[in-house]
Every structure is written in structure tokens, then in C-alpha cells.
């Protein structure tokens, strides 16, 4: 996640222990753990919602295109959508 190794995290923890003291450092670590857990839960919820909604939007787009093709000249519309040009001989 942060591309930091064990030595960097150990240094951060030791500095935090020296600056904050043992009691406040433990409280801070607990608070950071709770916040990280809540952030992960929120991210999972957002990913789940996007996974649920995205296929629905794509399906609606495809249905709109099908109805559009049904209302018009299918061959002409297919040529326009695919970007193909008919040879006029």
C-alpha cells in the first residue's frame, strides 16, 4: 500500500513511542486501526455498489441501441455505427 519495508515501519513506531509515550502511542495505534478498518469497509461498499450498477448501465445502453436500430433502417444504421461506407458502383 505505501511501499514501505519493515525497517521504515519499525522506525516510525519507535519514533512515535518516543514522542508520544507508551500510553498515548497505544491509544493512537488503536484509533488508527479503527479508522483503517472503517476506510476499508467503506471502500468495499463502494466497490460492491459500482459492481452492481455498472452492468445495469451497460445493459440499458445496449437496449437503447437495439431499439434505435429497430426504429430505423437496420442496414444503414449498422453501417453508420460501424463506420463502414458502402461501395457505390
Amino acid at each position: 500500500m505505501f511501499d514501505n519495508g519493515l525497517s521504515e515501519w519499525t522506525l516510525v513506531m519507535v519514533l512515535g513511542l518516543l514522542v508520544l509515550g507508551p500510553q498515548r502511542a497505544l491509544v493512537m495505534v488503536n484509533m488508527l486501526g479503527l479508522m483503517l478498518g472503517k476506510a476499508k469497509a467503506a471502500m468495499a461498499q463502494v466497490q460492491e455498489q459500482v459492481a452492481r450498477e455498472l452492468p445495469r448501465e451497460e445493459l440499458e445502453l445496449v437496449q437503447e441501441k437495439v431499439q434505435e436500430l429497430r426504429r430505423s433502417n437496420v442496414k444503414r444504421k449498422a453501417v453508420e455505427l460501424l463506420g463502414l461506407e458502402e461501395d457505390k458502383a
Side-chain angles (χ1 to χ4, degrees):
M1 183 169 144
F2 291 107
D3 278 344
N4 292 335
L6 182 61
S7 60
E8 287 90 0
W9 285 112
T10 304
L11 179 64
V12 168
M13 294 300 278
V14 168
L15 287 175
L17 185 60
L18 290 173
V19 171
L20 297 174
Q23 290 178 345
R24 288 193 326 192
L26 288 177
V27 171
M28 291 297 292
V29 168
N30 284 336
M31 284 185 1
L32 287 174
L34 289 173
M35 288 190 307
L36 184 60
K38 287 180 181 180
K40 283 184 178 181
M43 184 60 99
Q45 185 180 13
V46 167
Q47 287 176 341
E48 181 183 327
Q49 185 177 3
V50 166
R52 253 191 341 254
E53 294 293 326
L54 188 59
R56 186 182 306 156
E57 291 174 0
E58 290 176 357
L59 182 60
E60 289 174 359
L61 180 65
V62 169
Q63 287 174 344
E64 287 175 12
K65 292 290 184 185
V66 168
Q67 289 176 358
E68 206 174 293
L69 285 172
R70 285 181 183 164
R71 286 191 297 257
S72 65
N73 183 350
V74 175
K75 185 176 180 181
R76 180 181 55 83
K77 198 64 170 178
V79 168
E80 287 177 10
L81 288 174
L82 295 175
L84 302 173
E85 293 182 14
E86 292 185 62
D87 293 330
K88 295 181 180 177

